[in-house]
Structure formats: C-alpha cells, structure tokens
Amino acid sequence: MSFPKNLRYTKDHEWVRLEDGKTAVIGITEYAQSELGDIVYVEVETIGKTLDAGVVFGTVEAGKTVSDLFLPV
C-alpha cells in the first residue's frame, strides 16, 4: 500500500486532502477498497449541508456489503 504525504487518515480507513484552503476531498484507503471488493455504488445525500466531524455523510456499496462513510473533519 502507498501512503501519499498529502493525505490525512482516519481510524475508519478514510482519508482527506485539502485543496486551495477551502475544499476537502474525501476518499477511502487502499485497505478499505481491498476489504470491500468491487464498489458498485456510492451515495452522498449531504452535499451542500453543514455537518459535524464523525457523522455519517454517505454510504458505499460493494457486492452484498453497505458501509457508512464518516466525515473526517
């Protein structure tokens, strides 16, 4: 696995990358991807909403598994 230095990681196998001082890009780690397998659907219904760190902001579906996505910041 690679660990790019421009990413910050959470205990929930997610990462965040800050761009231009205002935008945060969020993803999941290589480990999470390998554990989930083929991802078939990602749902984020919280776009444009103000949320607190640690709350569920979406889900990722892979095969027969659906996992919550937690807001890292």
Side-chain angles (χ1 to χ4, degrees):
M1 281 189 262
S2 65
F3 298 97
K5 295 182 186 217
N6 63 334
L7 303 181
R8 300 291 182 242
Y9 297 90
T10 71
K11 63 180 178 169
D12 298 310
H13 300 286
E14 295 168 343
W15 56 258
V16 62
R17 179 182 72 226
L18 297 177
E19 294 184 349
D20 68 31
K22 294 188 252 180
T23 304
V25 177
I26 299 169
I28 62 174
T29 64
E30 287 182 38
Y31 175 79
Q33 291 176 29
S34 68
E35 290 295 303
L36 288 170
D38 292 334
I39 295 173
V40 295
Y41 188 72
V42 175
E43 182 174 17
V44 178
E45 295 182 352
T46 56
I47 295 172
K49 295 183 180 179
T50 301
L51 304 169
D52 292 326
V55 301
V56 174
F57 72 94
T59 57
V60 60
E61 182 179 339
K64 296 180 182 178
T65 302
V66 176
S67 296
D68 289 332
L69 296 171
F70 297 93
L71 193 62
V73 292

